[in-house]
Structures are given as structure tokens and as C-alpha cells.
């Protein structure tokens, strides 16, 4: 080849577009597309070149390998593991033992020299396999071929390029192609040779522009760990997890919805003193407890994810959620995108069909982790410690392992569910289980120890982000509902929600927003500490409480910030899931005995004979005993609305006894930047005390709306302690006195032009009560999620009767 003759088998990223998949495969085509089209928008992609599919075919054809491989694979039975392994090994050995043609080798070395430039030491590159049928919108080929990192020098480059060609015929790749109906002889392999990003000194990971479990499309999910990114991809570590909300990010806000620190036990780094290219080393305990990325890095990656998704969506003429790999250079602090491909599971989900799994019973929890999918499965535990154990695996077993290996995919298809010690929700086990449609729980840390061989267990991924392994075979229901033809009512149907982990999934129910978001659940589950104990941490006398708080708040010098961070993230998940619909957050409504049960709480709470009608709700917010704690609640709400841009969040004051008390609470809120009417802030009041009904016209002057709390209202109208077993039978929201007062307050609110809804239990339990509310002209009914479809039909029926 002369200096002026273009290479036959090499294409530089600068000369590649997404239309070149047949020439350079999916990975390389995508890298070239981004290198050419998105660098101008600030997205950074390391330079490199591709060895084309023609180079692969030249190698196969000129050496006779193509015919030999065809003969070896004739009559293959992928269900027979021994047969698959024996033939796969024979094919790979043949490729590795065959020298490459001289012209192909020379072009590779010339391109490597050009990429290296003037540097004297051999350039470190990543060698990535890129099959011509991979990363298509309907087939992920996740982990089917190999990637080699920190490849240096001519000899190493040629060796790993040959290994890449051989990886087209790993056992898993052969099995996958057969099952997907791809002809081996029609698929070729291109190789990407790309400058390494020194993330061995920094961090790396994966991000999706769609929620991987629910298909919620307005969030970017980012996983991050220290070192080279293969640990995250393969599930070798439990990474950090971050969510960013796309709609308000694009408006210039900083909506980091949630941050979860992963254990990040190991990091993959360059092996400078050994014979290997890379090695795993332990991460220091202090670093494991810290986030691998700053908020600015998280937001920058999310912005790039949006740019990449928007570009590919425009290119394809339809929404195209993306699966992206990124790396941060530890020397320069720069972020880079090193791969991008279409997401292939949730993007194809039929959003008109809602399938929900629900346990009928519960038993002892054996272990928990991050849930993948939303299904439930039962079966016997089969612990797989190495490839030898795969032969014992039977259809319907629960696969339990430290982590899954791509070579296991032929067996993973037989599993009823998958449980791993390590890995996050973007790891290999998670990706494959989604594609197979089986539930998985990853990152359990001790699953292989907590579970016993042959033990019957139930795997539940139907309870939010946390997956549970229960002892024994538990019964469960599966409900499939088509919402395509469901007519919507004039009366707004909203949801009662508490758990942020369920918000994305529940957003697909037919709804008009959230009528009651319970702050107490977030405090109880994600914070666990009394806010005053955090504010007063340095002077806390309770040594046991101090130790618990120290453990929960690792990395926080200002302990109160832990409360604001966790609360704002929990609330933000709820607000984002239903954006731009209203999400009405009820401020804390713990009673004094419940506050006392929080860590460190007993020192700050009075002992009351009847806390149900004691120091709760509005009366706490301006009182010196809790004023400083309420300030933290206000800070969290303000952060969600102002920093994250989620102005669909409204707030609601519970147990507000008098109009004067409502004014005092609003004055307190205003001190902390929450002024009614500013930036669209609406403030509602719970209608749960007879005074709220009797003085509804006066309350309407200072509040934007009312939400009827039928539980407390019934209790106070009938004088019944709903917690008392003796008088509990008298408690009945359908009592004539209760219904009369509800009718009265609805009429008053309509006359005053104020919104009026209900968030109490009655319409969820009794469809006829919901119909009564429709007759009275209520604006909205907020329901428990599992009753939405049933009660919506009852509401529609009554509206049709009324005309």
C-alpha cells in the first residue's frame, strides 16, 4: 500500500456514521456518529479507528476458516451444554491458531501508529468487538463479544484483535444467534481501537435514558464505580446509582432526583507491574462510603445522555432510549462517552397493558437487594459458584451466584429468577434478566451465604426498588389490564402515595396526579432519625443514638443536611414521576409517640395520653419545640421546587385546628422561602377536623384548596378512637353525620371557588362512597393505587347517570 492509497480494511471514526453498521458494526458506527455529530455540542468521544467487517471476511476467506467453522457448527444443539462448549472451543482454537493475512496486519499497525502520534511509549488503547448484527433496536447482544483494555504495543494489539475475531464464537454468542435466528455466516465482526480514558485513576460506568425497571422515560439512570468501567458492566461491584430528571434538566435546573451510594468493593486498574493488562484491587473504606461522582459530573453526564438520545431519536424518526457507557479520566477530570447503543427492552414495552404482581402473603425475609423487573417467582435455590455447577442447573431453578458471567447465558434462559451478590441495575445479570423477562435481585452482598442449596424461596421484585427473597413458596396474583380503551372521568382520579421507589411504575396507571404524598414514609424509611437529633448532634447525650446517626450519616459533617438531602430526594422522585401533574405533599404528620420512635427522638418529644389529638400537624410547625425541625422540611421542599424545577409540587398542612394556626404556619413557611403564590406555590389544608368544615369559608380565604381526610374526620365527628378495638365497630365513614359534613364542605368550597378533594380511605374501600362524592360535585378523589381501576369505573358510571 502506497502512502496515497486509502486503507482497504481501516475506517477512522471521523469517516464513520450510524449508516455504516454493515461495514463497522453497531458499536463503531455509533462511536463514529457521535464523534462526527455530537462533539460540536460538547459531547466528548475518544478518537480511534475501526477494522472493518471486510477485514474480518478477508481473514476468514483467505485462510479457509469460514468453511471450517461452517463444518464445525453443522448440527449444533445449543440445548446440549457439552456439545455447545466442545464446538465453540474448537472454533475459537481454529481462529487463534491461524495467522492473519499480512496486508490486514500491516494496515492495523499503520493505523495504530497514526493514532499514537509522536508519543514514544506505546499508546494504551481499548480493543472492542463490534458485530454487524449487534446493538440493533430489537436485539441487544449484551456482552456477546469481548472488550480488552489497556492494550499496548504492536504485538499485543494484533493478539487482541485476533481474540476479538474469535469472540464472535463464544458459547454465549453462538447460542444467542441460534436462538435469535441469525445465520453465523452472515454476521461479521469489526474491531474498534480507541484511545483509553484513564478511568482507572478516576471512575466509569453506564447510564440509560430510560428507567431500566419501569420504562419511565423522563429520567436518566447513571451507575458509577471507581476504576475502569468493566466492573460495572459485568456486575463485579455494587455501584452508586443516580437519577436525573430530563424535562427540567433541559430547562436549566439541577434535578438530581436520587443518589444511592454503592459499596464499590473493587476497582479495575492498569496492571503496571504484572503480566496482565488490568487487575482488580480493593477500594479503601473511606472511598467506598463516598459517591464516585460529584453533582456537577452527574448533571453533565445526564445532559450528554439527553443530547445523544435526542440525536438518535431524530435520526430514526422515533423516540430512541439509549444505553451509554461513560468514563472519567482521573488525570484531567474530563468525562468521555465510550459507547452508546439503543436500549432494547423497556423501549419495546407495550404501555397500554399494565401487568401487576402482588404477593398474597409474606414470610421471613432471607436477603434483600436491588430489584430488576417487577415480577414474582418461586423455586429451588441453585447456587452456581463456577461454570462446572451449570451442568446441575434445571429448568425453573433460582440461579444464585456471586455474579453472572456472559458465558452462562444459555443456562440463564432456564432460570425462574436470578440472585447475585454483586452488581447494580445496569450490570450483565440485570440486562440479560430483563431481556429474558425473569425477575432478578442484584447486589445482595451475601446471597450465596444466606440461601441454601435446594431451599424453596420466593423472589419478589414487585415491591419497588428493593427486591426481597422470602423463605418458602408464597402465593401471588398476577393482574393484566388494558388501559387503552379506558374512558377518563370528569372527576379527577389521583393517587395516594408514600414510597418513592414505586412512583415511576405507578405513574403508568390512569391518573390525574398525586392527591396525597405522605412525607412520614420518607422520614421513617430513608432518614430514620429525628430532625432535632440531627440538628443537635454535637450535644446529643444518648450514646447509642449518636452511634446509629454516625453510621447513617457517613460523609456528612453537618448532620442536618442528611435530613434535607434524603427528604428532598424522596419527594423529588414522587414529583418527577407525575410531572407536570399536581403532586400534593402533606407535611409531616407524625404524632408525638411516632416522632419519639425515630432515632434520638425520645429526648425531644412529650409523653401524651392521647397523641392522636395532641402535639401533631400544624401546631408543631411554629412551636419552639419543633420549629427548627420544620425549617428542614421547608428547605427540602424549596430545593425540590426551585433547584430541581419541580413546581408541580404543592404542599398541604395537616391537622390545622384554627384559621389563626393556618396563618402562623404560612408565616413560618414564608421565613424559609415558601410563600403562597410565589413561583406558583399552592398551599392546601387537610379537612379532617370539624372546625375545618364549620369554618370552611374562613379557611378558604387563606388556603388554595382542601383535601378531606375521612379517617380523622370520622373519628372526631363520631368521637371514636379508631385504634380502640372495643369501639372500632362504630367507626364508619358512611355514617350519615360524616356524609352530611362532607357534603357541607364540598358545597362551601364550590361556592368559594376553592379546590376540594378527598385523600381518605373511604373511596378506596367503598366504590359507592366514591359515587356519593361525585354526586356532591367533588373535584378529585385520591385513591390507593390498587383500587384506581375499580373505583374509576364506579366514578364513570355515576357521572354517566348524572349526565
Amino acid at each position: 500500500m502506497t502512502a496515497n492509497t486509502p486503507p482497504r480494511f481501516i475506517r477512522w471514526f471521523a469517516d464513520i456514521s450510524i449508516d455504516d453498521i454493515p461495514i463497522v458494526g453497531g458499536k463503531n458506527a455509533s462511536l463514529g456518529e457521535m464523534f462526527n455529530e455530537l462533539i460540536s455540542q460538547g459531547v466528548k468521544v475518544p478518537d480511534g479507528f475501526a477494522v472493518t467487517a471486510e477485514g474480518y471476511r478477508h481473514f476468514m476467506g483467505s485462510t479457509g476458516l469460514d468453511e471450517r467453522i461452517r463444518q464445525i457448527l453443522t448440527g449444533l444443539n445449543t440445548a446440549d451444554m457439552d456439545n455447545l462448549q466442545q464446538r465453540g472451543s474448537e472454533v475459537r482454537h481454529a481462529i487463534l491458531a491461524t495467522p492473519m493475512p499480512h496486508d490486514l496486519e500491516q494496515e492495523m499497525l499503520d493505523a495504530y501508529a497514526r493514532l499514537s502520534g509522536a508519543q514514544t511509549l506505546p499508546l494504551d488503547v481499548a480493543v472492542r468487538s463490534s458485530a454487524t448484527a449487534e446493538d440493533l433496536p430489537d436485539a441487544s447482544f449484551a456482552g456477546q463479544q469481548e472488550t480488552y483494555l489497556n492494550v499496548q504495543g504492536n504485538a499485543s494489539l494484533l493478539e487482541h484483535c485476533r481474540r476479538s475475531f474469535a469472540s464472535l464464537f463464544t458459547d454465549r454468542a453462538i447460542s444467542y444467534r441460534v436462538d435469535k435466528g441469525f445465520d453465523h455466516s452472515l454476521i461479521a465482526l469489526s474491531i474498534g481501537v480507541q484511545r483509553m480514558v484513564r478511568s482507572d485513576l478516576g471512575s466509569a460506568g453506564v447510564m440509560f435514558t430510560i428507567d431500566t425497571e419501569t420504562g419511565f422515560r423522563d429520567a436518566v439512570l447513571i451507575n458509577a464505580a471507581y476504576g475502569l468501567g468493566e466492573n460495572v458492566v459485568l456486575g463485579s461491584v455494587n455501584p452508586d446509582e443516580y437519577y436525573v430528571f430530563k424535562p427540567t434538566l433541559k430547562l436549566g435546573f439541577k434535578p438530581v432526583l436520587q443518589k444511592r451510594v454503592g459499596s464499590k468493593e473493587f476497582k479495575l486498574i492498569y496492571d503496571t507491574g504484572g503480566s496482565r493488562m488490568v487487575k482488580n484491587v480493593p477500594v479503601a473504606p473511606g472511598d467506598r462510603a463516598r459517591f464516585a461522582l460529584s453533582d456537577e459530573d452527574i448533571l453533565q453526564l445526564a445532559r450528554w445522555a439527553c443530547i445523544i438520545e435526542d440525536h438518535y431519536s431524530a435520526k430514526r424518526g422515533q423516540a430512541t432510549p439509549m444505553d451509554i457507557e461513560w468514563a472519567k479520566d482521573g488525570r484531567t477530570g474530563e468525562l468521555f462517552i465510550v459507547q452508546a447503543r439503543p436500549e432494547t427492552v423497556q423501549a419495546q414495552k407495550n404501555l397500554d397493558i399494565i401487568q401487576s404482581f402482588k404477593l398474597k402473603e409474606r414470610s421471613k425475609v432471607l436477603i434483600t437487594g436491588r430489584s430488576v423487573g417487577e415480577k414474582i417467582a418461586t423455586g429451588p435455590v441453585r447456587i452456581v459458584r463456577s461454570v462446572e455447577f451449570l451442568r446441575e442447573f434445571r429448568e425453573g431453578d433460582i440461579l444464585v451466584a456471586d455474579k453472572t458471567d456472559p458465558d452462562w447465558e444459555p443456562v440463564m434462559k432456564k432460570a425462574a429468577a436470578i440472585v447475585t451478590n454483586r452488581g447494580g441495575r445496569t450490570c450483565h445479570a440485570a440486562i440479560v434478566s430483563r431481556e429474558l423477562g425473569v425477575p432478578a435481585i442484584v447486589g445482595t452482598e451475601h446471597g450465596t451465604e444466606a440461601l441454601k442449596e435446594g431451599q424453596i424461596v420466593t423472589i419478589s421484585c414487585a415491591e419497588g426498588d428493593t427486591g426481597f427473597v422470602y423463605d418458602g413458596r408464597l402465593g401471588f396474583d398476577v393482574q393484566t389490564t388494558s388501559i387503552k380503551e379506558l374512558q377518563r372521568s370528569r372527576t379527577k382520579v389521583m393517587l395516594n402515595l408514600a414510597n418513592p421507589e414505586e412512583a415511576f411504575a405507578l405513574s403508568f396507571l390512569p391518573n390525574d396526579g398525586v392527591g396525597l404524598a405522605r412525607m412520614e414514609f420518607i422520614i421513617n424509611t430513608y432518614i430514620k432519625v429525628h430532625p432535632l437529633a440531627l440538628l443537635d448532634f454535637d450535644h446529643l447525650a444518648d450514646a447509642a443514638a449518636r452511634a446509629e446517626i454516625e453510621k447513617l450519616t457517613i460523609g456528612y459533617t453537618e448532620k442536618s443536611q442528611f435530613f434535607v438531602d434524603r427528604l428532598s430526594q424522596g419527594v423529588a422522585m414522587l414529583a418527577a414521576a407525575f410531572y407536570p401533574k399536581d403532586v400534593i405533599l402533606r407535611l409531616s404528620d407524625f404524632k408525638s409517640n411516632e416522632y419519639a420512635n425515630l432515632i434520638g427522638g425520645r429526648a425531644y418529644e412529650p409523653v401524651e395520653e392521647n397523641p392522636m389529638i395532641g402535639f401533631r400537624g400544624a401546631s408543631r410547625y411554629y412551636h419552639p419545640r419543633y420549629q427548627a425541625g420544620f425549617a428542614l422540611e421547608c428547605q427540602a421542599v424549596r430545593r425540590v421546587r426551585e433547584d430541581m424545577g419541580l413546581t408541580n409540587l404543592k404542599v398541604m398542612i395537616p391537622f390545622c385546628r384554627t384559621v389563626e394556626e393556618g396563618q402562623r404556619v404560612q408565616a413560618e413557611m414564608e421565613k424559609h422561602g415558601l410563600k403562597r403564590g410565589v413561583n406558583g406555590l399552592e398551599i392546601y389544608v387537610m379537612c379532617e377536623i370539624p372546625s375545618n368544615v364549620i369554618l370552611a369559608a374562613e379557611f378558604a380565604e387563606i388556603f388554595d384548596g382542601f383535601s378531606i381526610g375521612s379517617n380523622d374526620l370520622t373519628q372526631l365527628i363520631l368521637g371514636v378512637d379508631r385504634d380502640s378495638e372495643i369501639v372500632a365497630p362504630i367507626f364508619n365513614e358512611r355514617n350519615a353525620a360524616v356524609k352530611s359534613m362532607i357534603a357541607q364542605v364540598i358545597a362551601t368550597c364550590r361556592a368559594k371557588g376553592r379546590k376540594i378533594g378527598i385523600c381518605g380511605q373511604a373511596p378506596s374501600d367503598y366504590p359507592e362512597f366514591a359515587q356519593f362524592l361525585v354526586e356532591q360535585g367533588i373535584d378529585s378523589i385520591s385513591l390507593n393505587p390498587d383500587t384506581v381501576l375499580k373505583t374509576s369505573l364506579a366514578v364513570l358510571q355515576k357521572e354517566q347517570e348524572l349526565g
Side-chain angles (χ1 to χ4, degrees):
M1 185 177 71
T2 66
N4 296 322
T5 305
R8 177 182 170 190
F9 307 118
I10 300 296
R11 290 279 291 270
W12 289 89
F13 288 174
D15 302 319
I16 295 171
S17 77
I18 198 63
D19 299 324
D20 293 321
I21 290 177
I23 300 170
V24 296
K27 285 189 183 71
N28 288 332
S30 184
L31 284 168
E33 179 76 18
M34 292 188 294
F35 191 86
N36 285 294
E37 301 293 334
L38 302 184
I39 284 178
S40 62
Q41 296 184 53
V43 178
K44 295 182 180 179
V45 180
D47 197 6
F49 62 88
V51 181
T52 64
E54 185 183 353
Y56 167 83
R57 294 190 182 98
H58 178 55
F59 176 36
M60 291 287 138
S62 65
T63 59
L65 277 170
D66 49 3
E67 179 57 26
R68 188 173 173 190
I69 291 170
R70 188 187 64 77
Q71 291 173 359
I72 294 171
L73 295 180
T74 298
L76 169 68
N77 177 12
T78 58
D80 183 339
M81 286 298 297
D82 290 335
N83 184 261
L84 174 61
Q85 288 173 357
Q86 183 252 321
R87 295 196 193 211
S89 176
E90 197 174 335
V91 170
R92 293 190 297 275
H93 179 77
I95 295 172
L96 292 172
T98 304
M100 275 195 276
H102 175 74
D103 53 350
L104 176 59
E105 279 196 359
Q106 192 58 53
E107 286 196 10
M108 288 179 180
L109 296 180
D110 288 345
Y112 179 53
R114 176 179 158 186
L115 186 63
S116 300
Q119 72 174 58
T120 53
L121 294 174
L123 178 68
D124 48 329
V125 294
V127 175
R128 303 182 188 278
S129 307
S130 181
T132 55
E134 73 179 346
D135 297 343
L136 302 178
D138 58 350
S140 75
F141 284 74
Q144 295 303 317
Q145 281 76 54
E146 301 293 346
T147 292
Y148 303 100
L149 305 175
N150 187 26
V151 175
Q152 299 182 29
N154 289 352
S156 184
L157 176 69
L158 294 176
E159 176 194 349
H160 288 96
C161 284
R162 187 183 287 103
R163 287 191 191 180
S164 291
F165 285 150
S167 77
L168 191 59
F169 293 95
T170 57
D171 297 346
R172 63 187 182 271
I174 294 169
S175 173
Y176 191 94
R177 286 197 295 272
V178 169
D179 293 342
K180 286 286 185 181
F182 289 94
D183 186 335
H184 299 293
S185 64
L186 298 181
I187 294 175
L189 188 124
S190 170
I191 298 170
V193 178
Q194 185 180 35
R195 280 182 173 274
M196 282 290 296
V197 176
R198 290 303 302 269
S199 59
D200 61 306
L201 305 173
S203 55
V206 179
M207 59 183 173
F208 285 79
T209 62
I210 188 171
D211 181 43
T212 54
E213 305 319 310
T214 63
F216 182 75
R217 295 200 173 205
D218 280 345
V220 176
L221 167 65
I222 303 172
N223 274 179
Y226 300 117
L228 300 169
E230 293 302 287
N231 272 349
V232 177
V233 174
L234 296 176
S236 301
V237 297
N238 298 334
D240 294 344
E241 183 175 285
Y242 317 111
Y243 277 109
V244 182
F245 188 54
K246 292 192 286 188
T248 57
L249 177 73
K250 292 179 179 181
L251 295 174
F253 293 97
K254 298 180 178 181
V256 180
L257 300 179
Q258 193 175 80
K259 296 163 64 176
R260 291 176 181 267
V261 67
S263 51
K264 304 184 293 292
E265 307 92 329
F266 302 97
K267 61 179 176 180
L268 195 64
I269 64 170
Y270 282 14
D271 186 12
T272 53
S275 58
R276 298 170 299 169
M277 297 177 294
V278 294
K279 63 180 180 181
N280 257 321
V281 297
V283 174
D287 289 336
R288 290 176 59 180
R290 284 191 286 271
F291 290 112
L293 289 177
S294 67
D295 280 7
E296 272 312 307
D297 285 341
I298 294 166
L299 292 165
Q300 183 61 72
L301 286 172
R303 291 184 195 103
W304 286 357
C306 291
I307 290 170
I308 293 167
E309 180 182 51
D310 290 347
H311 176 79
Y312 279 96
S313 297
K315 195 88 177 177
R316 293 185 61 215
Q318 64 183 69
T320 304
M322 299 296 290
D323 168 357
I324 303 163
E325 292 181 30
W326 61 270
K328 180 176 181 177
D329 194 305
R331 298 171 306 180
T332 66
E334 292 178 286
L335 292 164
F336 292 90
I337 301 299
V338 295
Q339 277 192 47
R341 61 182 74 82
E343 192 276 343
T344 58
V345 178
Q346 292 295 347
Q348 298 179 54
K349 193 174 181 180
N350 184 354
L351 300 180
D352 293 328
I353 301 294
I354 295 176
Q355 188 179 54
S356 60
F357 287 67
K358 189 173 184 179
L359 282 171
K360 293 180 180 179
E361 55 189 325
R362 284 178 174 79
S363 65
K364 180 183 178 183
V365 175
L366 301 173
I367 197 102
T368 64
R370 307 293 285 134
S371 64
V372 177
E374 297 172 286
K375 295 182 178 180
I376 299 172
T378 66
V381 167
R382 192 69 61 209
I383 298 176
V384 179
R385 301 190 188 279
S386 65
V387 68
E388 289 76 24
F389 288 82
L390 294 176
R391 290 184 174 83
E392 302 169 15
F393 201 86
R394 299 288 176 264
E395 191 88 30
D397 286 351
I398 307 292
L399 192 160
V400 179
D402 185 51
K403 68 182 183 72
T404 62
D405 187 282
D407 288 324
W408 298 5
E409 286 179 30
V411 164
M412 292 169 74
K413 290 181 287 190
K414 300 178 182 179
I418 297 167
V419 178
T420 67
N421 292 344
R422 297 190 274 167
R425 294 197 300 167
T426 58
C427 73
H428 173 265
I431 291 172
V432 173
S433 66
R434 280 186 211 105
E435 189 166 300
L436 296 175
V438 302
I441 300 177
V442 298
T444 64
E445 298 191 7
H446 308 294
T448 52
E449 298 169 22
L451 306 177
K452 306 303 178 188
E453 184 74 13
Q455 180 180 13
I456 302 298
V457 298
T458 297
I459 307 297
S460 174
C461 294
E463 301 171 66
D465 284 354
T466 302
F468 296 87
V469 181
Y470 293 101
D471 191 20
R473 193 183 300 275
L474 304 181
F476 60 92
D477 290 324
V478 184
Q479 183 179 4
T480 302
T481 306
S482 173
I483 61 172
K484 191 173 184 180
E485 306 301 328
L486 185 65
Q487 187 180 344
R488 299 302 303 276
S489 58
R490 294 189 299 272
T491 307
K492 288 185 176 182
V493 174
M494 306 177 84
L495 303 182
N496 293 334
L497 281 188
N499 188 352
E501 293 184 3
E502 298 177 337
F504 286 173
L506 293 174
S507 70
F508 292 103
L509 286 171
N511 71 83
D512 295 294
V514 176
L516 172 64
R518 298 185 181 94
M519 182 183 284
E520 304 84 61
F521 180 91
I522 300 170
I523 295 173
N524 218 13
T525 307
Y526 300 106
I527 300 173
K528 302 179 182 177
V529 185
H530 196 289
L532 297 180
L534 290 165
L535 284 162
D536 200 29
F537 179 76
D538 291 338
H539 306 100
L540 208 58
D542 186 336
R546 279 184 64 89
E548 281 189 85
I549 294 170
E550 196 72 78
K551 186 176 178 181
L552 282 169
T553 60
I554 290 175
Y556 283 88
T557 50
E558 189 179 339
K559 301 302 182 185
S560 60
Q561 200 57 45
F562 172 77
F563 186 96
V564 176
D565 286 354
R566 287 294 180 92
L567 182 56
S568 62
Q569 288 169 23
V571 171
M573 288 290 282
L574 297 173
F578 295 87
Y579 183 88
K581 301 171 188 172
D582 284 356
V583 171
I584 302 171
L585 175 71
R586 185 178 67 192
L587 298 173
S588 63
D589 194 26
F590 280 132
K591 290 164 274 297
S592 55
N593 59 323
E594 293 168 331
Y595 267 114
N597 287 332
L598 294 171
I599 297 169
R602 299 207 179 277
Y604 302 98
E605 294 299 327
V607 176
E608 298 184 290
E609 289 295 325
N610 192 349
M612 185 72 79
I613 53 173
F615 189 45
R616 64 175 287 201
S619 61
R620 296 182 67 92
Y621 303 157
Y622 57 86
H623 195 283
R625 291 189 71 143
Y626 187 73
Q627 216 168 10
F630 183 63
L632 299 183
E633 295 183 31
C634 292
Q635 286 177 40
V637 171
R638 186 175 179 184
R639 178 183 294 180
V640 173
R641 287 180 50 84
E642 296 184 7
D643 295 354
M644 302 187 195
L646 294 164
T647 51
N648 61 318
L649 181 69
K650 321 295 184 186
V651 293
M652 183 155 64
I653 311 301
F655 224 75
C656 185
R657 296 172 170 94
T658 68
V659 174
E660 292 74 24
E661 192 166 58
Q663 292 169 330
R664 291 188 70 175
V665 170
Q666 290 194 36
E668 198 68 29
M669 292 173 67
E670 194 172 331
K671 286 182 194 174
H672 304 293
L674 295 175
K675 181 175 173 60
R676 179 179 167 223
V678 175
N679 198 21
L681 176 63
E682 293 182 3
I683 301 178
Y684 290 65
V685 66
M686 288 288 294
C687 178
E688 54 191 341
I689 304 171
S691 62
N692 301 143
V693 178
I694 296 164
L695 297 177
E698 287 79 0
F699 277 102
E701 295 298 325
I702 64 167
F703 288 107
D704 296 290
F706 293 62
S707 185
I708 300 165
S710 57
N711 295 9
D712 273 347
L713 187 60
T714 301
Q715 179 176 233
L716 294 171
I717 290 172
L718 299 181
V720 173
D721 180 355
R722 67 181 195 239
D723 292 336
S724 169
E725 293 180 11
I726 299 171
V727 296
I730 302 171
F731 182 91
N732 183 1
E733 298 105 316
R734 294 168 292 176
N735 181 279
V738 178
K739 292 175 73 173
S740 174
M741 293 203 86
I742 288 175
Q744 179 183 330
V745 75
I746 292 173
T748 303
C749 286
R750 289 177 66 83
K752 298 293 287 185
R754 287 289 183 249
K755 299 173 186 175
I756 176 76
I758 187 169
C759 61
Q761 188 66 27
S764 293
D765 288 345
Y766 312 113
E768 69 274 18
F769 194 90
Q771 293 182 325
F772 156 74
L773 294 168
V774 173
E775 286 177 337
Q776 303 308 310
I778 201 163
D779 294 316
S780 65
I781 298 175
S782 196
L783 304 165
N784 297 340
D786 59 351
T787 67
V788 164
L789 297 174
K790 175 186 71 175
T791 309
S792 292
L793 292 173
V795 169
L796 275 167
Q797 180 187 342
K798 178 54 65 175
E799 286 183 348
Q800 288 165 0
E801 289 174 11
L802 295 173

